[in-house]
Amino acid sequence: MAINTVSQVVPSPAEDAAALLKAFQVNNDLCQLFCGPGWGTDEQAVIAILARRDATQRKQISLTYEQMYNEGLLQRLQSELSGDFERAMCQWILGPDERQAVIANAAMKCIQEEYPVIIEIACANSSEELIAVKKAYHVLYKCSLEEDVAAGTTGNLRSLLLALVSTYRYDGNDVNMGLAKSEAKIVHEAVRNGTLDHQELVRIVGTRSKAQLKATFSCFKDEHSRSITKALLHASDPTCYLRALRTTVRCIADENKYFAKQVLRNATREAGTDEDTLTRVVVMHAEKDLKGICGAFQKRTSVTLEQVIAKETSGDYRSFLMALLGS
């Protein structure tokens, strides 16, 4: 992401707020009369300011804008922008915890298809980050993330997702290899002959640290010459539980590879770009680990994510995503 360096002079929140108001008011009187809301906005100016401010700076700009002009910046952006660009910018203006809470809540409306979003939030965050997201969810929606997951799912899928969003994993790198070998054996027994011991699988992926799970996955592959995800392909389950379990294993085993191969590559196929998914990954990871995801994407597709976005998107939406990527 293109953010300010120490040598650059960063405008004050008040200066940025004033510049944003000016961008919203470009020829706005005539455009409101003849074209409708938003047609007078200088979108490139909005991108130039907000795409190049970090989360702390954006929060200060939002607070200052509201104090100066007695209106919320988020609400003004919603009224001035439109389409994929508006949705992406309105996600970006939120803080990381609040953003993920909003994205999780949106996924609840169709959780049988959108369960990967919940898995990503549960597995790609540290334990402390996940707690922060759940606190933000509680403030925004007056209920817990766990409550909504439980209400929207049933059976083994519910058990898996609840285990993932409820866990507080050890975040260190210490690994017990004896435990890894024994639990790799438990996993093998659970998937052998197409039968599954759901409780044991959920217990393992829902409680162990990421480092411990990676060791277990490695032991399984060494012992059985195939990955756990491939072994799960041979098990039968009429629900989406097994797909969710494979998604969980992939996300924990290698986050960058998962987002590059399973998410971004599928979202940008020639059959049609999934803008919501593309936005989710770029906006959520721009200030965190997007560089690693981009590297994994190029390794697996032989093109850069910037090249794909330039080809598959257009207009202000494309400009905004490219700015977050640093182009």
Side-chain angles (χ1 to χ4, degrees), residues 94-254:
L94 299 173
D97 305 330
E98 187 178 13
R99 178 192 306 133
Q100 291 186 76
V102 169
I103 290 172
N105 183 257
M108 295 297 174
K109 296 175 175 59
C110 195
I111 196 169
Q112 294 295 326
E113 288 77 31
E114 296 297 326
Y115 62 83
V117 175
I118 306 302
I119 292 172
E120 291 166 17
I121 290 172
C123 295
N125 281 307
S126 69
S127 293
E128 295 297 336
E129 288 168 339
L130 178 57
I131 286 175
V133 173
K134 293 198 291 183
K135 286 182 178 179
Y137 196 98
H138 194 275
V139 170
L140 287 172
Y141 303 109
K142 313 308 177 189
C143 67
S144 69
L145 179 60
E146 292 90 337
E147 284 180 80
D148 280 350
V149 167
T153 55
T154 58
N156 294 318
L157 179 63
R158 173 193 282 171
S159 298
L160 175 63
L161 295 183
L162 278 178
L164 295 177
V165 299
S166 302
T167 192
Y168 186 82
R169 300 182 192 276
Y170 165 65
D171 283 328
N173 294 318
D174 292 342
V175 169
N176 183 329
M177 289 307 300
L179 181 63
K181 292 177 181 178
S182 66
E183 292 195 330
K185 183 177 180 180
I186 291 172
V187 173
H188 176 65
E189 291 296 324
V191 301
R192 188 173 58 176
N193 299 323
T195 61
L196 290 169
D197 185 336
H198 303 293
Q199 289 184 343
E200 281 296 271
L201 289 172
V202 169
R203 176 188 66 80
I204 292 170
V205 300
T207 61
R208 299 303 184 195
S209 72
K210 294 179 185 179
Q212 185 67 44
L213 285 171
K214 289 176 183 179
T216 298
F217 302 158
S218 179
C219 287
F220 185 98
K221 188 172 184 179
D222 290 343
E223 184 68 24
H224 304 291
S225 301
R226 62 175 177 172
S227 66
I228 290 178
T229 53
K230 289 184 179 178
L232 288 170
L233 287 172
H234 298 283
S236 59
D237 191 287
T239 71
C240 57
Y241 161 70
L242 279 180
R243 295 195 300 275
L245 187 57
R246 289 195 297 270
T247 298
T248 301
V249 172
R250 287 173 176 136
C251 191
I252 291 173
D254 190 332

Side-chain angles (χ1 to χ4, degrees), residues 31-48:
C31 287
Q32 289 281 358
L33 181 63
F34 295 108
C35 305
W39 281 85
T41 303
D42 183 351
E43 289 86 353
Q44 292 301 310
V46 174
I47 293 170

Side-chain angles (χ1 to χ4, degrees), residues 254-262 264-265 289-305:
D254 190 332
E255 292 174 24
N256 290 342
K257 180 181 177 182
Y258 164 76
F259 283 109
K261 182 179 178 181
Q262 305 298 328
L264 286 174
R265 191 171 68 172
D289 53 4
L290 188 57
K291 183 177 180 180
I293 294 171
C294 288
F297 184 86
Q298 185 173 1
K299 180 178 179 181
R300 280 155 184 81
T301 63
S302 299
V303 295
T304 66
L305 185 58

